[in-house]
Amino acid sequence: GIIQTLGVLVAGPLKSTDGNDTAARTRDALLDIINERVLDGNSFTRSRVLQTWAFLSEQRAIPLKYLSNMINSAISRLDDKASNVR
């Protein structure tokens, strides 16, 4: 899906921005989109967001400034009413 594709882009070509401001802004914009989708009305989308965060974490592709936000998003989903999200 789209969320997973955004994650692959962040973990692949945009993982190391090496001082490239354009690449860093693009990566940050993609991470913002992924993070916004954790509040989606569709439980499948929320589940994919958590799977994408896990993938990005395994790839060590989450910038430090997003790490606490990602952890808070994951914690908030522990009380999700849909079992496939928890």
Side-chain angles (χ1 to χ4, degrees):
I2 293 174
I3 298 296
Q4 292 171 307
T5 303
L6 297 178
V8 169
L9 288 172
V10 169
L14 297 174
K15 183 175 181 179
S16 175
T17 57
D18 295 327
N20 184 342
D21 288 339
T22 304
R25 282 193 308 266
T26 302
R27 180 201 59 211
D28 291 349
L30 294 178
L31 288 169
D32 287 339
I33 292 169
I34 293 170
N35 196 47
E36 288 172 9
R37 299 286 36 115
V38 80
L39 300 174
D40 196 280
N42 187 321
S43 65
F44 182 77
T45 301
R46 294 191 308 269
S47 173
R48 289 296 179 196
V49 166
L50 295 179
Q51 290 173 8
T52 302
W53 279 128
F55 169 74
L56 290 173
S57 178
E58 291 169 0
Q59 299 298 313
R60 298 182 183 266
I62 302 172
L64 288 177
K65 66 181 181 179
Y66 282 91
L67 197 55
S68 67
N69 196 14
M70 183 273 303
I71 291 170
N72 289 333
S73 295
I75 290 171
S76 72
R77 295 296 93 201
L78 289 174
D79 293 329
D80 202 285
K81 62 182 178 182
S83 64
N84 65 333
V85 178
R86 289 181 256 148

